[in-house]
Amino acid sequence: MGVTCVSQMSVAEGKSVQQTVELLTQKLEMLGAEKQGTFCVDCETYHTAASTLGSQGQAGKLMYVMHNSEYPLSCFALFENGPCLIADTNFDVLMVKLKGFFQSAKASKIETRGTRYQYCDFLVKVGTVTMGPSARGISVEVEYGPCVVASDCWSLLLEFLQNFLGSHTPGAPTVFANRHDAVYSPADTMVQYMELFNKIRKQQQVPVAGIR
Amino acid sequence: MEAPPVTMMPVTGGTINMMEYLLQGSVLDHSLESLIHRLRGLCDNMEPETFLDHEMVFLLKGQQASPFVLRARRSMDRAGTPWHLRYLGQPEMGDKNRHALVRNCVDIATSENLTDFLMEMGFRMDHEFVAKGHLFRKGIMKIMVYKIFRILVPGNTDSIEALSLSYLVELSVVAPAGQDMVSDDMRNFAEQLKPLVHLEKIDPKRLM
């Protein structure tokens, strides 16, 4: 996959999450982007069960198991600041077997769903981030297909983001800082989504009135 | 131009339980050639396939009496192939008439950082070995004839030593749960390998 930047779009003043998403998608359609189906990225959190902690003598770690509709046959498992494992979907079956050792924090399943837009070499995905029934924020993912090295195309991506997001343009993702000249991989995108989801989880819930 | 449809729901792993049916036996080194010859005749027509794999067995200890075992296997002679992570459940104690050992199995293909990831999860390596041998197929049955090598220096797969003067022979099938006819087909195939090798159901617990 090409170099990708995942960022959060803040909800517009006096508007709901859904209205802000509509504003963004209208802007994309005016630019001439073509709608190409939908996407979904979800994330479940697991923590080491108390029974295993005692013997390990280390603080419980959080493990994230994520899926991305762009790679329907894969499953991504990662630790914050740790390795990201790319496996096939049987990994979910294994997590069921590991129930006694890793407990799923059911309430913290978070996902983003929305539309995919293709604009020349850019693939833009605008999604509504939801936790359970409530919409918590907006995710924007922009991928520049032709390039796989972050340092080579970050300025181009930034220019496109400024054109599209205006003042809400994000800074360079932290994954770029660590691996400037390395080949970009889907695992880097999943790390960005994990960071986004964690940020949104910590934020105040969007007022209910705004959602309707 | 029609865009390819993108699934709305990410495809998550099915909950179909796959079972591994297994029969095992062994042959001494000097009988290997005749066994390979017979297998070449009985099995599906294909290029003789050899393999050289490095397997590491990881344990996760918890409060439960028995630790959770996972097997991580990589190919040493085929570069670029994914690592293979395998979970094998307890053998099903059921029908004494069932001809093969049956246990739940989950097979997962993973990226190369599997060992680092397992360590991060809390698993620790219990033991490792190298397996070198031949692979045959007959329909859904897989027949492996291989030798196990002990690794003398942990992590160094160059210095290995054969564990015995024989080859382990395994006849296995991975099929959805409930397909017991599979073990009948396996027994029929095993009959055709007698007297070169006697494949039987070996309960791992009896050996410990």
Side-chain angles (χ1 to χ4, degrees), chain B residues 123-134:
Chain B
F123 282 85
R124 293 293 172 260
M125 189 174 85
D126 182 64
H127 64 273
E128 55 178 347
F129 61 89
V130 168
K132 179 173 159 65
H134 306 259

PDB file of all heavy atoms in Angstrom, chain B residues 123-134:
ATOM      1  N   PHE B 123       4.448 -15.299  26.277  1.00  0.00           N
ATOM      2  CA  PHE B 123       4.872 -16.676  26.018  1.00  0.00           C
ATOM      3  C   PHE B 123       6.388 -16.789  26.174  1.00  0.00           C
ATOM      4  O   PHE B 123       7.104 -15.838  25.927  1.00  0.00           O
ATOM      5  CB  PHE B 123       4.511 -17.084  24.586  1.00  0.00           C
ATOM      6  CG  PHE B 123       3.059 -17.428  24.396  1.00  0.00           C
ATOM      7  CD1 PHE B 123       2.131 -16.436  24.134  1.00  0.00           C
ATOM      8  CD2 PHE B 123       2.625 -18.740  24.467  1.00  0.00           C
ATOM      9  CE1 PHE B 123       0.789 -16.748  23.960  1.00  0.00           C
ATOM     10  CE2 PHE B 123       1.293 -19.066  24.285  1.00  0.00           C
ATOM     11  CZ  PHE B 123       0.371 -18.063  24.031  1.00  0.00           C
ATOM     12  N   ARG B 124       6.833 -17.966  26.568  1.00  0.00           N
ATOM     13  CA  ARG B 124       8.277 -18.218  26.645  1.00  0.00           C
ATOM     14  C   ARG B 124       8.554 -19.501  25.884  1.00  0.00           C
ATOM     15  O   ARG B 124       7.764 -20.448  25.934  1.00  0.00           O
ATOM     16  CB  ARG B 124       8.720 -18.388  28.113  1.00  0.00           C
ATOM     17  CG  ARG B 124       8.601 -17.107  28.936  1.00  0.00           C
ATOM     18  CD  ARG B 124       9.577 -16.027  28.494  1.00  0.00           C
ATOM     19  NE  ARG B 124       9.339 -14.747  29.138  1.00  0.00           N
ATOM     20  CZ  ARG B 124       8.693 -13.719  28.582  1.00  0.00           C
ATOM     21  NH1 ARG B 124       8.225 -13.802  27.360  1.00  0.00           N
ATOM     22  NH2 ARG B 124       8.506 -12.601  29.250  1.00  0.00           N
ATOM     23  N   MET B 125       9.717 -19.533  25.195  1.00  0.00           N
ATOM     24  CA  MET B 125      10.024 -20.710  24.400  1.00  0.00           C
ATOM     25  C   MET B 125      10.401 -21.882  25.309  1.00  0.00           C
ATOM     26  O   MET B 125      11.230 -21.731  26.194  1.00  0.00           O
ATOM     27  CB  MET B 125      11.169 -20.428  23.429  1.00  0.00           C
ATOM     28  CG  MET B 125      11.338 -21.582  22.455  1.00  0.00           C
ATOM     29  SD  MET B 125      12.531 -21.254  21.183  1.00  0.00           S
ATOM     30  CE  MET B 125      14.021 -21.708  22.004  1.00  0.00           C
ATOM     31  N   ASP B 126       9.764 -23.018  25.043  1.00  0.00           N
ATOM     32  CA  ASP B 126      10.050 -24.195  25.857  1.00  0.00           C
ATOM     33  C   ASP B 126      11.129 -25.038  25.204  1.00  0.00           C
ATOM     34  O   ASP B 126      12.078 -25.463  25.843  1.00  0.00           O
ATOM     35  CB  ASP B 126       8.754 -25.002  26.024  1.00  0.00           C
ATOM     36  CG  ASP B 126       8.957 -26.209  26.904  1.00  0.00           C
ATOM     37  OD1 ASP B 126       9.262 -26.005  28.105  1.00  0.00           O
ATOM     38  OD2 ASP B 126       8.852 -27.337  26.408  1.00  0.00           O
ATOM     39  N   HIS B 127      10.977 -25.308  23.916  1.00  0.00           N
ATOM     40  CA  HIS B 127      11.992 -26.078  23.193  1.00  0.00           C
ATOM     41  C   HIS B 127      11.841 -25.818  21.703  1.00  0.00           C
ATOM     42  O   HIS B 127      10.831 -25.258  21.257  1.00  0.00           O
ATOM     43  CB  HIS B 127      11.879 -27.576  23.498  1.00  0.00           C
ATOM     44  CG  HIS B 127      10.584 -28.196  23.036  1.00  0.00           C
ATOM     45  ND1 HIS B 127       9.457 -28.201  23.812  1.00  0.00           N
ATOM     46  CD2 HIS B 127      10.259 -28.816  21.882  1.00  0.00           C
ATOM     47  CE1 HIS B 127       8.489 -28.816  23.164  1.00  0.00           C
ATOM     48  NE2 HIS B 127       8.942 -29.195  21.992  1.00  0.00           N
ATOM     49  N   GLU B 128      12.868 -26.201  20.959  1.00  0.00           N
ATOM     50  CA  GLU B 128      12.827 -26.024  19.510  1.00  0.00           C
ATOM     51  C   GLU B 128      13.511 -27.204  18.839  1.00  0.00           C
ATOM     52  O   GLU B 128      14.293 -27.917  19.469  1.00  0.00           O
ATOM     53  CB  GLU B 128      13.522 -24.709  19.107  1.00  0.00           C
ATOM     54  CG  GLU B 128      14.942 -24.584  19.608  1.00  0.00           C
ATOM     55  CD  GLU B 128      15.639 -23.298  19.166  1.00  0.00           C
ATOM     56  OE1 GLU B 128      15.125 -22.601  18.266  1.00  0.00           O
ATOM     57  OE2 GLU B 128      16.702 -23.004  19.733  1.00  0.00           O
ATOM     58  N   PHE B 129      13.203 -27.410  17.579  1.00  0.00           N
ATOM     59  CA  PHE B 129      13.842 -28.494  16.825  1.00  0.00           C
ATOM     60  C   PHE B 129      13.757 -28.190  15.340  1.00  0.00           C
ATOM     61  O   PHE B 129      13.017 -27.296  14.915  1.00  0.00           O
ATOM     62  CB  PHE B 129      13.194 -29.851  17.148  1.00  0.00           C
ATOM     63  CG  PHE B 129      11.727 -29.925  16.789  1.00  0.00           C
ATOM     64  CD1 PHE B 129      11.315 -30.334  15.520  1.00  0.00           C
ATOM     65  CD2 PHE B 129      10.765 -29.593  17.724  1.00  0.00           C
ATOM     66  CE1 PHE B 129       9.966 -30.394  15.195  1.00  0.00           C
ATOM     67  CE2 PHE B 129       9.416 -29.658  17.408  1.00  0.00           C
ATOM     68  CZ  PHE B 129       9.015 -30.055  16.137  1.00  0.00           C
ATOM     69  N   VAL B 130      14.526 -28.940  14.577  1.00  0.00           N
ATOM     70  CA  VAL B 130      14.500 -28.807  13.120  1.00  0.00           C
ATOM     71  C   VAL B 130      13.917 -30.096  12.561  1.00  0.00           C
ATOM     72  O   VAL B 130      14.242 -31.191  13.038  1.00  0.00           O
ATOM     73  CB  VAL B 130      15.919 -28.564  12.580  1.00  0.00           C
ATOM     74  CG1 VAL B 130      15.976 -28.716  11.068  1.00  0.00           C
ATOM     75  CG2 VAL B 130      16.403 -27.185  12.969  1.00  0.00           C
ATOM     76  N   ALA B 131      13.036 -29.993  11.589  1.00  0.00           N
ATOM     77  CA  ALA B 131      12.446 -31.177  10.965  1.00  0.00           C
ATOM     78  C   ALA B 131      12.827 -31.166   9.493  1.00  0.00           C
ATOM     79  O   ALA B 131      12.656 -30.156   8.800  1.00  0.00           O
ATOM     80  CB  ALA B 131      10.934 -31.145  11.104  1.00  0.00           C
ATOM     81  N   LYS B 132      13.365 -32.289   9.019  1.00  0.00           N
ATOM     82  CA  LYS B 132      13.801 -32.339   7.626  1.00  0.00           C
ATOM     83  C   LYS B 132      13.256 -33.615   7.019  1.00  0.00           C
ATOM     84  O   LYS B 132      13.452 -34.704   7.580  1.00  0.00           O
ATOM     85  CB  LYS B 132      15.325 -32.362   7.617  1.00  0.00           C
ATOM     86  CG  LYS B 132      15.962 -32.429   6.238  1.00  0.00           C
ATOM     87  CD  LYS B 132      17.469 -32.273   6.412  1.00  0.00           C
ATOM     88  CE  LYS B 132      18.293 -32.778   5.279  1.00  0.00           C
ATOM     89  NZ  LYS B 132      18.195 -32.151   4.011  1.00  0.00           N
ATOM     90  N   GLY B 133      12.547 -33.499   5.905  1.00  0.00           N
ATOM     91  CA  GLY B 133      12.022 -34.725   5.315  1.00  0.00           C
ATOM     92  C   GLY B 133      11.225 -34.497   4.057  1.00  0.00           C
ATOM     93  O   GLY B 133      11.438 -33.528   3.320  1.00  0.00           O
ATOM     94  N   HIS B 134      10.294 -35.450   3.833  1.00  0.00           N
ATOM     95  CA  HIS B 134       9.522 -35.486   2.591  1.00  0.00           C
ATOM     96  C   HIS B 134       8.049 -35.306   2.876  1.00  0.00           C
ATOM     97  O   HIS B 134       7.557 -35.709   3.928  1.00  0.00           O
ATOM     98  CB  HIS B 134       9.719 -36.841   1.900  1.00  0.00           C
ATOM     99  CG  HIS B 134      11.153 -37.168   1.681  1.00  0.00           C
ATOM    100  ND1 HIS B 134      11.782 -37.020   0.466  1.00  0.00           N
ATOM    101  CD2 HIS B 134      12.096 -37.633   2.533  1.00  0.00           C
ATOM    102  CE1 HIS B 134      13.042 -37.384   0.587  1.00  0.00           C
ATOM    103  NE2 HIS B 134      13.264 -37.760   1.824  1.00  0.00           N
TER     104      HIS B 134
END
